[in-house]
Amino acid sequence: MAPFGARLTTAVSVRGPLCAGIDPHPGLLEAWGLPVDASGLERFALTCVEAMAGEIAVLKPQSAFFEAFGSRGIAVLERVVAESRDAGALVLLDVKRGDIGSTMAAYAQAYLADGSPLAADAVTLSPYLGFGSLAPALDLADRTGRGVFVLAMTSNPEGAQVQRALSDDRTIAQAMVDEAAARNAGASPLGSTGLVIGATVGDSGLDLAKLNGPILAPGLGAQGAGLAELRTVFGGALRHVLPASSRDILRHGPDVKALRAAALRVRDTLPVH
Ligand SMILES: O=C(O)c1cc(=O)[nH]c(=O)n1[C@@H]1O[C@H](COP(=O)(O)O)[C@@H](O)[C@H]1O
């Protein structure tokens, strides 16, 4: 497989820069008239795939909502990953994993190894056990043409306690940016070590000039961010940003056409890269 950074660049140039989240909140299942059980989860998630996987560049299923239903939920997640990819979308599996290196290698096998039932195109990772602890996942992703999005500055206000703390005159978040930049140095058109920076964080103080990698920007819609906030947070780095929205799109279901139209509407408000 070609490197993730290259595949993402192509997908965004063809389909536009939106990452649509598949977050089957129990409240959304109810709002769609579905039972809050594994069968409702399946209907919800596969409706999202039917509506969006043929049109949207990146789909981001949030693993927790599937795990909540145990093994039947995980089976649904496997189908979401496979069917979304079959329809041409890239799948970013939102698992926010981070562990000591030897265990991280097992998470890497689960999500980034060829042939694993849950292998996606990319995953979200948490570097707050130390960026270096993620090496087994970053290395495997590089070997298999997959990508990672490492949490740098998250959209929740509590994140600032850790992420904006200073260490050696730079914020912890900037240290994560610099680590990712080192991994991406020399890659063309774009490296495969991405970052997560919330669209809601305001003035981040981050220097993104050398990142040379994709930036996932959740917080669009339900968390209050729009185009103006994206411009404030990212300025000149906006061309590498993949804005993400979940609930603000999903509330338009269960009608497939209405859901698809909502996703396309959001996509078409975003700046073309
Ligand atoms: O990694 C993420 O996707 C993520 C990081 C972050 O800083 N903030 C954030 O909201 N997210 C995820 O993005 C999605 C946001 O959903 P909505 O607020 O419904 O658009 C959820 O799945 C969150 O877990």
Side-chain angles (χ1 to χ4, degrees), residues 23 25 60 62 65 94 96 124 151 153-156 196-198 216 218-223 244-248:
D23 292 23
H25 291 264
K60 183 174 76 71
Q62 215 309 323
F65 294 110
D94 186 6
K96 296 190 185 67
T124 53
L151 302 181
M153 196 172 276
T154 54
S155 67
N156 59 319
V196 179
I197 300 174
L216 181 75
L220 201 64
Q223 294 178 50
S245 178
S246 304
R247 284 167 291 175
D248 196 38

Side-chain angles (χ1 to χ4, degrees), residues 113-211:
D114 289 336
S116 169
L118 280 174
D121 293 290
V123 286
T124 53
L125 299 178
S126 172
Y128 293 111
L129 273 74
F131 190 93
S133 66
L134 303 179
L138 273 53
D139 292 345
L140 186 60
D142 281 349
R143 286 203 299 279
T144 62
R146 296 187 167 85
V148 302
F149 286 84
V150 177
L151 302 181
M153 196 172 276
T154 54
S155 67
N156 59 319
E158 304 86 354
Q161 179 187 32
V162 174
Q163 299 155 11
R164 290 191 191 248
L166 288 175
S167 165
D168 297 334
D169 290 339
R170 57 179 180 172
T171 60
I172 298 286
Q174 183 66 49
M176 300 309 146
V177 174
D178 296 345
E179 295 272 12
R183 299 269 327 184
N184 291 327
S188 177
L190 197 65
S192 299
T193 302
L195 292 176
V196 179
I197 300 174
T200 56
V201 302
D203 181 4
S204 71
L206 296 173
D207 179 356
L208 300 168
K210 295 196 180 126
L211 176 62

Side-chain angles (χ1 to χ4, degrees), residues 57-129:
V58 182
L59 296 185
K60 183 174 76 71
Q62 215 309 323
S63 183
F65 294 110
F66 296 82
E67 293 173 38
F69 295 100
S71 57
R72 289 190 63 197
I74 300 295
V76 174
L77 183 56
E78 289 177 10
R79 282 188 65 190
V80 168
V81 173
E83 293 182 22
S84 299
R85 299 190 76 234
D86 285 350
L90 294 175
V91 177
L92 166 54
L93 183 51
D94 186 6
V95 284
K96 296 190 185 67
R97 293 295 194 252
D99 210 320
I100 63 164
S102 53
T103 311
M104 198 62 224
Y107 282 125
Q109 284 295 320
Y111 303 119
L112 298 165
D114 289 336
S116 169
L118 280 174
D121 293 290
V123 286
T124 53
L125 299 178
S126 172
Y128 293 111
L129 273 74

Side-chain angles (χ1 to χ4, degrees), residues 218-231:
L220 201 64
Q223 294 178 50
L227 196 50
E229 286 74 15
L230 286 169
R231 287 195 205 285

